[in-house]
Amino acid sequence: MKELCLNDLLDLVELYNPEGKEKVKKAYEYAERLHKGQMRQSGEPYISHPLNVAYILAEMHGDTDTICAGLLHDTLEDTIIKKEDIAHDFNQEVANLVDGVTKISKLNFSTKQDQNMANIRKIITGITEDVRIIIIKLADRLHNMRTLQFKSEFKQKENSMETMDIFVPLAYYIGAYRIKSELEDLSLKYLYPDKYKRIEDIKLRVEDDSKHCLNEMLTTINSILTNQDIPHDIKVRTKNIYGIYKRLEQGHKLSDIHDLLSLKIMVDSIANCYLTLGSIHSKYHPINDKFKDYIYNPKTNMYQSLHTTVFGEDDRLVQTQIRTFEMDKIASFGLTAYWDIKKGNARDVMQEDLKQKYQFFKSLVEINKVFGDNQEFVYQVKSELFSDKIYVYTTKGDIIELPKGATAIDFAYKIHSDLGNTMISAVVNDKVVDPEYELRNKDRVRVITDVLSYGPREEWLDKVQTTKAKRKIREFIKGN
Ligand code: MN
């Protein structure tokens, strides 16, 4: 990889936020002066690390304060500077961001000491105050993982496990797929080097083998869209190595993984997404049960796209993903992609988006409210948010995310507490079931209520997974 310099960062910032350039330059010079003489284990001057972190943040179109904080993120820990100095020389926002990142950096996620649990809680609840702290921390972790070869084997494994446990789920929840997949691959590489190498080889072979087919399709679709005057861009995308690894571990055969390679088609509007879909289906036969409309049914982390698997040239199955340029930006970078200068103060805009659009935010606030004990809090976050999830539908077609093992009771409380408190049974995929019924992926759920019901029963407490359900049931029982 070529070494970055300040101008690379400034050029990138120029593209989306030209007014921010002066401040970014100042932050770079400031950090460079403070870190002078310090070296990374790779032998590079220390400033290369914060510069890379800031660059990752600029790729995500971070606001000026975020980029500056990225450049300054290690100055509180490693140099003589104080938080007040940063507030004075920049502003309070930048100082708070750097301070937040510094606190998180001192954590060790792999020990179970009480002090540490308290800190893990801090990092996770930090999201509820300013999600940009987590985004900077993700960029910091990504660059550290990219340069992990200079650390001891013990450190490599420890960092990789921590990355998988904490940072990958966080990246997923804010929809930052690009960071998520790179973190997954880097972790896998250090945790299971042999498996990583084997899948990497398979991937190269498949890529080579499908190159011809994909290029033909790309050319064909390209000319169809050009003829229809639809502004577009098409890319070939490969599933990340960890994604392939996971599917193989689940017992899938390589030949069954149809999205190993896919065509990503970006167009200028939602209407043109559907026109493009029509054109593709009339040219290549689709497999009916592989079609997914994430445009009108976004994932719970706001990912939007149409997915369709079709018989391509040579009768190969090829997945195509169709989305707008805007959706693609959000799919790559998540929450930060919504922000632009015209919308105003980045922190407020992003916190508001987070509250309104991302389901996990509400669960997080709830868990934080209910669990006083740090150990319990961390345990609950891990089992409710950072573990396997299922996705079920309301009768209106809205997608609800629940932890694996959740019951119809959890569903009812997630929708509304009155619904849970008056629930007598549920209808799951047209079948009447008990409230304790354990839900599965893709279930369609309707809650049956009766205002004369006895209300939630104490036994339900053992049947539910979510904090909200537990809390509401306890409240109801106490109130009676
Ligand atoms: Mn750092």
Side-chain angles (χ1 to χ4, degrees), residues 46 49 73-74 140 144:
Y46 197 84
H49 168 62
H73 83 271
D74 277 329
D140 176 42
N144 283 334

Side-chain angles (χ1 to χ4, degrees), residues 40 46 49-50 53 70 73-74 78 101 105 137 140-141 144:
R40 296 204 91 209
Y46 197 84
H49 168 62
V53 170
H73 83 271
D74 277 329
D78 299 338
V101 176
S105 301
K137 189 61 209 169
D140 176 42
R141 175 52 60 112
N144 283 334

